[in-house]
Amino acid sequence: MINTIKHIIYASTPFGFSDSDLDHILIKSRYNNDKNKITGALFCRDDLYLQYLEGPEIEIDITYSKIIEDDRHTEVLLLNSGLSKRRLFANWAMKHDPVQSWMWTREEINGGILEKVTENEAMNIFIKHSRETDQFL
């Protein structure tokens, strides 16, 4: 029997972003995610966090509630949430990449694109990204 897993995609605005903060987030996320059977990917730059998380539903819900309360970012916006049978980032406790060249520009972010992006558009960003990794070649 194949278990369903929950996935979420959220975007937020970093508060006081620094490379040191990012390193701390990644180290802690990779440890906690591995322990909780969560995988995913994080795009970030000083004006955007965009994250995809997947795993057991209760663990995703607990993790997301902690994310919402985290003061290292503001304006947390849930872009997509659903159930699936297959992980996009099965080999990554937390894959990190800077925002790709095909991602939104700063002008688009400032212009409110995050409020306009559809659930499918958000999901397609991470589907495309998962195909760029070595796990599905």
Side-chain angles (χ1 to χ4, degrees):
M1 178 179 152
I2 297 177
N3 292 330
T4 58
I5 57 169
K6 183 172 185 173
H7 66 266
I8 63 166
I9 299 171
Y10 77 89
S12 65
T13 304
F15 182 78
F17 180 86
S18 72
D19 288 337
S20 175
D21 288 335
L22 178 59
D23 290 343
H24 178 73
I25 289 168
L26 291 171
I27 289 167
K28 189 171 182 179
S29 293
R30 288 174 178 146
Y31 173 79
N32 288 331
N33 290 354
D34 188 51
K35 180 175 63 170
N36 295 315
K37 297 179 175 54
I38 294 174
T39 55
L42 171 67
F43 290 114
C44 62
R45 62 184 187 207
D46 63 358
D47 68 336
L48 174 68
Y49 287 132
L50 181 65
Q51 187 168 34
Y52 177 92
L53 295 171
E54 58 193 359
E57 186 168 1
I58 192 160
E59 298 299 341
I60 292 296
D61 291 344
I62 290 168
T63 299
Y64 187 60
S65 69
K66 291 176 183 175
I67 287 168
I68 291 171
E69 298 299 321
D70 193 320
D71 63 1
R72 293 174 290 193
H73 61 165
T74 62
E75 302 172 37
V76 179
L77 180 61
L78 184 64
L79 301 176
N80 184 304
S81 177
L83 300 174
S84 55
K85 301 215 184 272
R86 179 174 164 243
R87 293 177 184 260
L88 288 180
F89 297 96
N91 295 326
W92 299 96
M94 184 49 57
K95 180 168 177 45
H96 164 253
D97 281 297
V99 175
Q100 301 291 320
S101 61
W102 46 265
M103 287 291 300
W104 305 299
T105 65
R106 290 181 190 281
E107 292 76 25
E108 289 171 319
I109 297 291
N110 292 334
I113 196 165
L114 293 175
E115 289 81 23
K116 299 171 192 163
V117 68
T118 67
E119 286 190 1
N120 283 340
E121 289 169 336
M123 188 66 175
N124 285 336
I125 289 169
F126 287 97
I127 290 171
K128 176 178 176 143
H129 187 52
S130 72
R131 290 181 179 151
E132 292 175 347
T133 67
D134 60 345
Q135 64 184 346
F136 295 118
L137 295 179

